[in-house]
Amino acid sequence: MFSDLRDFIGHLEEEGELIRVKERLSTCHEIPAAMKFIDQKWGSAAFFEDVQGYDIPVIGNLLGNRKRLEMALSAETDLTNHYLNRTNHPIKPVILDNGPVKEVILGMSFDILKSMPVLTHHEKDAGPYLTAAVTMAKDPNTGVGGMGIHRIQIKGPNRVGILLASPPLSHFFKRFEERGKPMEVAIAIGMDPITFFSSVIWAPKGVDKFDLAGGLKGEAIELVKCESVDLEVPARADFVLEGRILPHKRAKEGPFGESTGVYLTYENPIAEIDIITHRKSPIYHALMPFTGEESVLMGVSWEAENLRAIQKKFPQVVKAHISPLDFGKIIVQIDKKSDEDPKHVIDYVLELNPRNKSAVIIDTDVDIYNPKEVTWALSNRFQPDRDVIIRRDLPGSVIDPSADERHYTSKIGFDATRPLGKKEKFEKVRIPENVWSRVRKILEGYAP
Ligand SMILES: Cc1cc2nc3c(=O)[nH]c(=O)nc-3n(C[C@H](O)[C@H](O)[C@H](O)COP(=O)(O)O)c2cc1C
């Protein structure tokens, strides 16, 4: 298992999953452009050795494809099963006395932008943004910790703006504001890939994601106490910013080019940073929005958590998959017992998660991971006037520009399953299985 970010980077390099860029590039648009180009052309992680104005390298596209996520998780089975098995056995973190993240402590008159190479990603972005930073806080009611990736705009030497739209942090902050108190936060950048991945999983209420990260790793995550706030952070993180989000203060944050591929501006909370701690030779971790990385990071846990919830109510559901082509679309595979089943499942999943904007229900003979087959089912087993369900006025994603000002949206479901009594009419063509596997074996070594 990888103990920190540099450990994982070394592994990616050995496995041919990383490109080293030696040319000098700037933090303003150039490195983000290179991250996007490398992602589109080779799908690799990208390590920028020479960052203009800094002696700190930048890593991007870290978990940009499922293969690298499998490596990070050391998953030997299918990712959904691996995730479900491991998160069923959470492991509490351990708190160490000291760790590399404390090697350098900046307590007075620092400037965030001089301390780390924060990138400006898209043309109309308001300025530099932390995009792979994990914000950590505690529930003021229970003391249980929570974390998530939140976009963070650098607004001054020690001032930032933050989008707090998702739980658990959005809930914690509401409770702090009700008490009129600031919310202490620690913002960590650069950590082992399992903790990074776990920071955005769709965790059950009241569960600390560090416990789930421990379960996924098979061993306790090592933390250290912060210097100025009552929080714990990964002991081997590259950077940590400690500070407070101010209650009842809002300021313009954005525009920022979001993962949905549009610029979004909000009136958002602001935080003041009191201390920065970092390793002696830190690596700065960034994420390029509107590449595939968000869907890799969030897709696996969403699939698994959606499936876990759906199967409790509908045991006839076999698999769930978030479409990599459309992050708001969930595909559900069902071994239906009645022709009404898919419609009940559609109703349920569209309400289950604000981000499930559309749902497609397919039979077990359709390959859920193959977009061609899902489209085939829609063309051949679906009638628009009979098999569509539209639901209105449901909570949607805050980064969907088509939702209304409350972030409410209409949603759509497609029942692409064949009627139970007419299986033959809808039978999918196939080659005899024994012939298929024999021919595959013969041809596997061939190349054009
Ligand atoms: C790349 C990326 C960026 C994100 N940016 C934000 C953000 O700016 N604000 C926010 O509230 N949530 C953001 N999220 C979502 C949260 O980090 C995360 O999904 C959430 O904490 C999951 O919590 P839940 O289990 O309660 O849904 C982002 C997620 C990813 C993968």
Side-chain angles (χ1 to χ4, degrees):
M1 285 293 172
F2 307 102
S3 60
D4 54 16
L5 175 60
R6 60 200 61 200
D7 193 9
F8 185 53
I9 290 174
H11 180 77
L12 293 182
E13 192 150 31
E14 275 167 25
E15 295 294 318
E17 278 290 317
L18 179 134
I19 288 181
R20 261 178 194 276
V21 178
K22 294 186 188 298
E23 282 71 20
R24 177 163 305 168
L25 292 179
S26 92
T27 54
C28 186
H29 303 314
E30 284 189 357
I31 290 177
M35 280 161 70
K36 193 175 177 89
F37 182 82
I38 289 169
D39 180 59
Q40 286 178 348
K41 185 127 175 119
W42 300 286
S44 323
F47 189 84
F48 300 91
E49 290 183 357
D50 193 350
V51 180
Q52 190 180 327
Y54 296 87
D55 55 6
I56 300 169
V58 172
I59 177 80
N61 306 349
L62 192 75
L63 296 177
N65 63 23
R66 281 205 170 208
K67 184 176 171 200
R68 291 203 287 283
L69 181 60
E70 277 165 11
M71 288 177 180
L73 294 171
S74 303
E76 269 149 26
T77 58
D78 142 273
L79 271 178
T80 309
N81 286 334
H82 178 87
Y83 175 90
L84 288 172
N85 292 338
R86 293 293 183 99
T87 50
N88 276 336
H89 303 97
I91 299 175
K92 292 223 160 295
V94 285
I95 300 178
L96 309 181
D97 291 336
N98 206 348
V101 67
K102 306 281 186 178
E103 281 166 356
V104 180
I105 299 181
L106 307 174
M108 298 259 275
S109 64
F110 57 79
D111 180 341
I112 300 169
L113 287 182
K114 288 192 180 132
S115 320
M116 61 189 81
V118 188
L119 307 182
T120 302
H121 300 78
H122 285 107
E123 191 174 16
K124 291 194 175 162
D125 282 1
Y129 267 82
L130 306 177
T131 44
V134 177
T135 303
M136 299 161 184
K138 279 185 184 163
D139 184 339
N141 290 350
T142 62
V144 174
M147 57 179 159
I149 299 179
H150 293 262
R151 71 187 224 186
I152 293 177
Q153 183 185 356
I154 311 299
K155 291 178 152 242
N158 74 334
R159 216 172 160 79
V160 300
I162 180 166
L163 170 60
L164 284 179
S166 331
L169 263 57
S170 57
H171 292 169
F172 296 177
F173 187 54
K174 193 165 170 275
R175 292 174 200 142
F176 276 102
E177 283 202 312
E178 280 160 8
R179 291 168 163 81
K181 290 200 162 151
M183 177 163 88
E184 291 190 335
V185 286
I187 301 165
I189 303 159
M191 65 202 75
D192 73 274
I194 288 187
T195 306
F196 181 62
F197 166 77
S198 304
S199 73
V200 290
I201 64 187
W202 182 24
K205 262 191 196 144
V207 172
D208 191 334
K209 292 180 189 173
F210 278 127
D211 301 3
L212 300 175
L216 284 168
K217 201 168 184 183
E219 62 191 45
I221 303 295
E222 295 183 338
L223 304 178
V224 285
K225 285 195 174 301
C226 286
E227 295 295 304
S228 63
V229 290
D230 179 23
L231 294 168
E232 294 82 37
V233 287
R236 305 178 68 79
D238 283 276
F239 291 95
V240 170
L241 289 73
E242 301 180 9
R244 298 150 285 112
I245 305 187
L246 310 176
H248 304 297
K249 282 226 160 85
R250 300 289 186 274
K252 185 180 169 198
E253 183 265 283
F256 174 71
E258 261 298 345
S259 44
T260 40
V262 291
Y263 293 102
L264 291 172
T265 306
Y266 302 92
E267 285 294 310
N268 269 339
I270 39 186
E272 284 171 358
I273 305 302
D274 301 312
I275 282 183
I276 297 179
T277 73
H278 66 82
R279 295 177 70 136
K280 257 190 202 136
S281 307
I283 300 169
Y284 178 80
H285 181 192
L287 185 147
M288 183 60 181
F290 198 41
T291 58
E293 190 165 2
E294 295 105 342
S295 62
V296 175
L297 263 175
M298 295 178 87
V300 171
S301 72
W302 279 12
E303 265 165 40
E305 295 296 349
N306 272 299
L307 185 64
R308 196 177 341 230
I310 301 167
Q311 279 179 331
K312 272 193 195 142
K313 225 171 142 45
F314 302 98
Q316 61 274 48
V317 164
V318 183
K319 278 186 189 150
H321 181 48
I322 309 284
S323 164
L325 305 176
D326 172 2
F327 204 37
K329 180 188 285 166
I330 178 163
I331 305 155
V332 178
Q333 194 181 51
I334 187 170
D335 183 10
K336 71 177 181 182
K337 306 296 176 220
S338 125
D339 283 328
E340 292 308 302
D341 283 356
K343 303 213 164 48
H344 295 309
V345 172
I346 287 173
D347 271 335
Y348 182 72
V349 296
L350 293 183
E351 285 195 31
L352 183 62
N353 186 318
R355 291 170 178 118
N356 293 343
K357 188 170 178 183
S358 64
V360 182
I361 316 295
I362 54 167
D363 293 300
T364 50
D365 63 335
V366 178
D367 181 354
I368 195 167
Y369 301 114
N370 183 340
K372 265 193 186 169
E373 290 219 358
V374 175
T375 308
W376 172 85
L378 280 165
S379 302
N380 291 286
R381 294 182 175 177
F382 165 81
Q383 276 297 304
D385 64 345
R386 187 189 61 203
D387 297 324
V388 162
I389 290 183
I390 293 180
R391 298 282 313 272
R392 291 183 172 76
D393 213 32
L394 288 173
S397 160
V398 286
I399 52 173
D400 174 356
S402 71
D404 69 17
E405 62 287 349
R406 299 166 306 148
H407 308 299
Y408 272 55
T409 175
S410 56
K411 299 191 173 191
I412 190 163
F414 304 86
D415 173 4
T417 61
R418 57 191 165 177
L420 275 176
K422 298 188 182 164
K423 281 200 163 179
E424 266 172 37
K425 189 176 171 198
F426 293 93
E427 187 171 348
K428 201 172 86 183
V429 296
R430 55 180 263 174
I431 289 165
E433 187 53 46
N434 58 338
V435 175
W436 181 241
S437 58
R438 200 170 67 81
V439 171
R440 259 174 51 184
K441 246 185 230 151
I442 295 171
L443 294 181
E444 234 144 41
Y446 276 58

